[in-house]
Amino acid sequence: MADATMTVEVVSPEKVLFSGEATMVITRTLDGEVAFLPEHAAFLGALTESHTRVFLADGSVEDIAVHRGFVEVSHNKVSILTDVAELGSQVDVARAQSAKERAEAALRQAHDAEAVAALSRAHARLRAAGVPA
């Protein structure tokens, strides 16, 4: 049997960030990490900041930093709808590292939701870029 694939799209208000055929998608919802394979049952979930991995039909992996949004699976298609996402290859690592350091400093001062979210975004960006967070 030939390798089964599904269509994957990562869409932000400005553009379609990624569109292609994949054999698997791994992302993180509010309930935890989830993997989607071709012919997955219908699914709708809220996303948190994460390093999303799209396993392409050619064997390569597209790493994407997703900063919240929704994932919908229907009719052999995975749609990730997000306000902000970045391909791992386009992440400015120095800027992400600086954001991580600022968020860690803010958390040392006060444990607030914005600092936690900023740190989560920085970790997602760094992981997508292949840098240990």
Side-chain angles (χ1 to χ4, degrees):
M1 181 172 128
D3 289 340
T5 62
M6 60 192 162
T7 302
V8 179
E9 285 190 342
V10 179
V11 181
S12 72
E14 295 85 32
K15 64 183 175 180
V16 175
L17 184 70
F18 173 84
S19 181
E21 293 297 309
T23 58
M24 182 169 55
V25 175
I26 300 175
T27 194
R28 182 172 297 281
T29 69
L30 295 176
D31 295 321
E33 201 162 69
V34 63
F36 302 107
L37 297 169
E39 305 301 333
H40 194 282
F43 180 89
L44 180 63
L47 297 171
T48 187
E49 293 85 357
S50 72
H51 167 209
T52 295
R53 280 100 56 215
V54 179
F55 295 81
L56 303 176
D58 68 5
S60 63
V61 178
E62 186 68 60
D63 295 294
I64 305 170
V66 175
H67 308 298
R68 298 192 180 246
F70 296 93
V71 59
E72 176 188 20
V73 180
S74 179
H75 304 293
N76 210 36
K77 180 178 181 180
V78 177
S79 299
I80 294 177
L81 311 169
T82 180
D83 284 340
V84 179
E86 298 171 86
L87 296 177
S89 61
Q90 296 176 347
V91 169
D92 180 335
V93 174
R95 184 172 164 233
Q97 189 66 43
S98 178
K100 176 185 172 204
E101 292 165 3
R102 284 192 309 275
E104 289 170 340
L107 282 172
R108 284 191 290 277
Q109 299 297 320
H111 192 79
D112 69 359
E114 182 56 38
V116 171
L119 184 58
S120 293
R121 287 189 302 270
H123 281 175
R125 293 178 72 221
L126 289 167
R127 286 186 190 116
V131 176

